[in-house]
Amino acid sequence: MEGAFFLGVMWAVWIWATFLLERDHPLRFPAALVALLLLIAFPHQAAVGRLDMSWALIVIMAAGYGYFGRFSKWALLVRLAGVFIVMTGYAGLLLFELYDQVWMFAWRTICYSLFLFILVHLLFRSKMDAVAAALTGTAQGEILYALVLAKWDFHITAGSAAYLDIAGLFLLYACGWHFIDTALNLISERAAKKEKPG
């Protein structure tokens, strides 16, 4: 069932943020709130003019805009440029998929989430910026793709369960990369301490 993977990831994020993070951790409340809102919004859709979109997509964009709203003018402009690159890259991939049938032979969820992971880590140094830009950019890319198709009277739901599975797998990649990076940093710090004389 499409979307089951995303729901599993969101349940894991909610449990981690609610029960495993320290009470004073700055990520605890936002992560738990966004994960819970996504779980609630998952089965619901809204119609905005000719565009059908999932409520989960609206929650993702609101969380992304809330995150980027904390930055000053120049820092915000740089991050929004990254979001624009992600949006156009993702929407371009979706449009390319319509014309090139070779994508039918690849597992779309893995390919798209891996492309997204590589792209945002080339654009951003901060892991949180990369995650926020990936989710916000792809959410906007979903809307752009749906609007382009609506011109030819093809109606799709922006932020469908298939898209949410891509977002969930991307989050798993990002968490796995964070844990590997942290472990390698700890190992290198311990190795450096052992090499110090006396």
Side-chain angles (χ1 to χ4, degrees):
M1 176 183 122
E2 284 188 336
F5 185 79
F6 173 77
L7 290 173
V9 170
M10 285 303 105
W11 273 115
V13 169
W14 183 78
I15 290 168
W16 167 75
T18 306
F19 300 110
L20 301 177
L21 276 182
E22 296 87 11
R23 286 183 182 265
D24 57 345
H25 196 285
L27 265 182
R28 184 173 189 254
F29 178 72
L33 178 64
V34 170
L36 188 60
L37 287 174
L38 285 170
L39 288 168
I40 293 168
F42 176 76
H44 303 290
Q45 294 181 1
V48 181
R50 296 176 62 191
L51 183 66
D52 291 333
M53 60 191 332
S54 71
W55 275 100
L57 192 76
I58 296 169
V59 171
I60 288 171
M61 286 197 304
Y65 296 152
Y67 174 79
F68 288 120
R70 304 177 305 131
F71 294 99
S72 60
K73 291 178 183 176
W74 179 247
L76 177 63
L77 188 62
V78 169
R79 285 164 176 83
L80 289 181
V83 170
F84 180 78
I85 291 169
V86 172
M87 176 189 76
T88 52
Y90 179 74
L93 259 180
L94 292 174
L95 290 169
F96 182 69
E97 185 183 22
L98 287 176
Y99 297 109
D100 192 355
Q101 300 303 315
V102 74
W103 283 99
M104 291 175 62
F105 300 106
W107 191 0
R108 156 180 220 277
T109 304
I110 291 177
C111 292
Y112 278 41
S113 55
L114 192 58
F115 163 78
L116 189 58
F117 176 78
I118 293 168
L119 177 62
V120 293
H121 280 84
L122 290 173
L123 292 172
F124 296 96
R125 289 183 183 172
S126 163
K127 293 181 181 78
M128 283 302 298
D129 287 355
V131 169
L135 296 178
T136 309
T138 53
Q140 293 176 174
E142 280 280 310
I143 293 172
L144 180 61
Y145 178 64
L147 288 173
V148 169
L149 290 187
K151 287 186 176 182
W152 291 302
D153 288 328
F154 291 112
H155 295 285
I156 62 163
T157 301
S160 64
Y163 160 73
L164 294 174
D165 280 341
I166 292 169
L169 188 56
F170 165 79
L171 286 174
L172 276 186
Y173 288 155
C175 289
W177 182 254
H178 174 70
F179 290 134
I180 291 169
D181 189 39
T182 304
L184 290 175
N185 286 337
L186 285 172
I187 290 168
S188 63
E189 284 173 14
R190 288 183 182 177
K193 285 179 183 177
K194 286 182 181 178
E195 288 177 3
K196 283 184 181 178

